[in-house]
Amino acid sequence: MAGKLYIVPTPVGNLDDMTLRAVKVLKEADLILAEDTRTSSVLMKHFDIHRPLQSHHKFNEHQTVELVKERILGGLNVALVSDAGTPGISDPGFLLARTCAEEGIEVQTLPGATACIPAIVSSGLPCDRFAFEGFLPQKKGRQTHLLELAKETRTMVFYESPYRLVKTLEQFIEFFGPERPCSVAREISKVHEEHKRGTLAEVAAWFSEHEPKGEIVIVVGGAPPEKTHKKKRYGPPEEGE
């Protein structure tokens, strides 16, 4: 009988964010796949988890995914974790989940920690509908994509390195306009968590003078809906028209 693939979120900051179910699944797994076994070893030690760890990251996942699939088909229950947050969300995980799903293997993703949801909810910007963009392409296609996003009416969420934050905010000003509302969340769920809110121009100016550090999530308000000059009326014309 085939085993299962469990995708297990891990804390993005405070270790108390780890769920009881996540600890239980990891303690019972036959094998744990980790983005960085050194990072995950710290987490395993903290929660007294003693299961075999195997490296599974973006540089080797194309080579290991078939082997992992065969081990699950052979009956092993495998858990996948990343360094922080939910695997597959700007972290390795999609390829293995797709491969297992296509093979008919049961894939269970546990709810849990991710940086984008606290960032957008805390931003004060509309979060009933939003576009998660993750990390923008560094070079090829970046400007084309930003042109497309300039018309996006939903709130947008981006991940960014602190070293590129100011440059990215300046590009957002160029493509979205300086008055677009923005919130930059830094070090979510950690001791020095911070949220800087304002217009793109105001937030960019702040971080130009205050060097950003830590994990960064940028939340940007969507483009205002285009106004129509003449309201369209539905139904038959009124008498006299």
Side-chain angles (χ1 to χ4, degrees):
M1 183 177 178
K4 298 178 183 178
L5 172 65
Y6 293 93
I7 297 178
V8 183
T10 55
V12 297
N14 194 320
L15 290 180
D16 288 343
D17 292 338
M18 190 76 166
T19 69
L20 295 174
R21 185 184 173 203
V23 173
K24 182 176 185 293
V25 166
L26 292 176
K27 284 187 174 183
E28 295 177 353
D30 296 303
L31 174 66
I32 298 173
L33 302 178
E35 183 179 3
D36 187 326
T37 55
R38 295 166 299 180
T39 300
S40 295
S41 292
V42 176
L43 183 74
M44 302 305 156
K45 183 178 180 181
H46 181 84
F47 289 104
D48 196 29
I49 298 168
H50 305 281
R51 306 306 300 158
L53 275 176
Q54 178 178 316
S55 179
H56 183 83
H57 48 72
K58 65 180 180 179
F59 300 109
N60 74 354
E61 61 179 344
H62 288 274
Q63 288 74 43
T64 61
V65 66
E66 290 296 324
L67 294 174
V68 173
K69 180 193 75 175
E70 293 301 324
R71 298 187 74 176
I72 297 174
L73 287 173
L76 292 188
N77 288 318
V78 175
L80 173 66
V81 298
S82 61
D83 289 347
T86 301
I89 305 299
S90 293
D91 278 326
F94 162 71
L95 182 60
L96 181 59
R98 182 182 66 181
T99 300
C100 289
E102 290 176 346
E103 193 66 35
I105 294 169
E106 183 175 352
V107 179
Q108 289 191 10
T109 301
L110 280 61
T114 184
C116 66
I117 299 302
I120 188 172
V121 174
S122 297
S123 72
L125 295 170
C127 55
D128 53 335
R129 296 171 66 248
F130 62 90
F132 175 71
E133 291 295 324
F135 288 97
L136 287 169
Q138 286 305 302
K139 294 181 181 179
K140 187 176 180 181
R142 185 180 178 96
Q143 292 198 352
T144 300
H145 193 49
L146 285 171
L147 277 172
E148 295 170 351
L149 290 178
K151 303 175 185 177
E152 175 60 67
T153 57
R154 295 171 295 179
T155 302
M156 297 172 285
V157 185
F158 305 87
Y159 287 166
E160 190 51 280
S161 159
Y163 308 108
R164 296 191 297 264
L165 175 61
V166 172
K167 181 180 179 180
T168 295
L169 290 173
E170 290 172 348
Q171 281 191 311
F172 286 173
I173 290 172
E174 178 185 352
F175 285 89
F176 304 158
E179 297 303 314
R180 190 78 72 89
C182 169
S183 173
V184 170
R186 190 178 66 81
E187 294 290 80
I188 288 176
S189 191
K190 298 179 182 177
V191 174
H192 300 292
E193 178 172 341
E194 176 186 48
H195 298 262
K196 188 64 183 177
R197 306 173 182 89
T199 65
L200 279 171
E202 290 168 342
V203 175
W206 168 268
F207 283 108
S208 294
E209 298 178 1
H210 302 80
E211 182 182 0
K213 296 179 180 179
E215 302 293 327
I216 301 289
V217 184
I218 309 172
V219 183
V220 181
E226 293 184 5
K227 296 180 180 180
T228 54
H229 297 290
K230 186 175 181 180
K231 186 176 180 181
K232 184 176 181 180
R233 192 185 68 211
Y234 295 91
E238 295 180 358
E239 185 178 353
E241 289 189 20

